Amino acid sequence: MRRINISDIMGIKIGNAQNFEARTGCTVIICENGATCGVDVRGGAPGTRETDLLNPVNLVDKVHAVVLSGGSAFGLDASCGVMQFLEERDIGFDVGVTKVPIVCSAVLFDLMVGDYRVRPDKKMGYEACVNAFEVNRIENGKFGAGTGATVGKILGPEFAMEGGLGSYAVSVGDLKVGAVVAVNCLGDVIDPRTGKILAGALNEDKTGFIDSTKVMLSRYSDKTNLFSGNTTIAAVVTNAKLTKAEATKVSSMAHDAFARTMRPAHTMFDGDTIFTMATGEVEVDISTLGMIATTVLEEAILSAISHITYEK
């Protein structure tokens, strides 16, 4: 596998917009000609938009954008700006009188981090599209949907660490596969090769990690609401030829990346969601594609938190 940029995938444009002071933002992945799309939602507290359309039994088989956003349910408003931008450019599902852009979205909870009164909105979604068309690249770290992301919140925000936005892409012959992810999990982020905690809940003097799974085991009967800012959301992007059902299967397989790099993953307090967008150029075995997507998403997650340090 050879590493490439996500923007090297023909037909895909990607952009960020954020408010650094308020610590929130959004990321948009656009396919002007439409991409076959599937989704798999595993977390117990998801916030999503237009995911019902992705059911293989339903009519529409192409989406024109996927939006990853902060702001909890308020952040779904960013999709309206994406729709406006695309409609102005005559991009969307033709209904005769106009073209309706098909825009799917998932959000994460970052309201406790910055100014909760500022959320990704229509204006910010539009700005992310402008950046996608004019720049067509994203920065990893505290940008876009990862601007207000945090990880390791089992002991509350005081002992949490920063998460962020990560991306990674590879090519295998003519096949190209990339992933973008906003890492904002309740649990710790783990190096899947060594099992070492890379970022997560800090101990009392903040010199190391407390291990979120051990805390949970010691408090197994505690039903305290831990919904203080969670959910990891991602999109796999590829030039493969897929049906909606196949794209959904790739999303399902890619959730292994969450399980390998976040401990625990898919909790009742996370809304973990993965989209798969396919531009339809290259024939591929679905199992092989799912394997590659999982590896790429793992690397994107590690990239998202690679800028983090803690005081020793």
Side-chain angles (χ1 to χ4, degrees), residues 59-124:
L59 172 65
V60 175
D61 62 352
K62 301 285 185 182
V63 307
H64 303 97
V66 166
V67 183
L68 309 178
S69 179
S72 189
F74 298 109
L76 293 170
D77 189 35
S79 299
C80 297
V82 178
M83 289 193 70
Q84 178 184 337
F85 181 93
L86 295 178
E87 185 187 22
E88 289 174 356
R89 285 152 183 79
D90 201 34
I91 298 169
F93 183 76
D94 194 345
V95 296
V97 293
T98 187
K99 289 185 179 178
V100 179
I102 307 301
V103 179
C104 299
S105 180
V107 295
L108 57 79
F109 192 103
D110 58 5
L111 300 180
M112 302 288 289
V113 177
D115 185 345
Y116 74 93
R117 298 164 298 183
V118 178
R119 303 92 179 231
D121 55 10
K122 185 176 183 179
K123 181 179 179 182
M124 188 180 286

Side-chain angles (χ1 to χ4, degrees), residues 142-221:
K142 305 301 289 182
F143 299 94
T147 303
T150 51
V151 301
K153 286 155 281 191
I154 194 71
L155 298 180
E158 179 184 355
F159 296 97
M161 294 179 66
E162 291 184 342
L165 187 76
S167 64
Y168 198 88
V170 300
S171 66
V172 183
D174 293 333
L175 178 67
K176 296 178 181 179
V177 186
V180 57
V181 59
V183 183
N184 188 58
C185 54
L186 170 70
D188 304 325
V189 178
I190 309 296
D191 185 335
R193 294 172 285 266
T194 65
K196 179 182 177 182
I197 298 176
L198 301 177
L202 297 170
N203 58 23
E204 187 174 349
D205 57 6
K206 299 183 180 180
T207 58
F209 301 110
I210 196 127
D211 193 328
S212 293
T213 57
K214 291 182 179 178
V215 175
M216 294 179 74
L217 287 170
S218 70
R219 301 178 179 181
Y220 67 88
S221 62

Side-chain angles (χ1 to χ4, degrees), residues 16-74:
N16 286 333
Q18 57 276 314
N19 183 318
F20 291 118
E21 185 175 351
R23 296 191 65 183
T24 194
C26 64
T27 300
V28 62
I29 307 110
I30 296 171
C31 184
E32 297 175 72
N33 296 323
T36 303
C37 192
V39 67
D40 191 342
V41 181
R42 296 281 180 93
T48 58
R49 178 185 189 274
E50 295 281 43
T51 52
D52 283 351
L53 280 175
L54 305 183
N55 188 318
V57 305
N58 291 332
L59 172 65
V60 175
D61 62 352
K62 301 285 185 182
V63 307
H64 303 97
V66 166
V67 183
L68 309 178
S69 179
S72 189
F74 298 109

Side-chain angles (χ1 to χ4, degrees), residues 233-257:
I233 49 180
V236 172
V237 185
T238 178
N239 64 348
K241 293 181 181 179
L242 301 179
T243 64
K244 283 201 292 185
E246 290 170 336
T248 299
K249 182 59 179 177
V250 172
S251 291
S252 177
M253 293 181 69
H255 268 286
D256 287 353

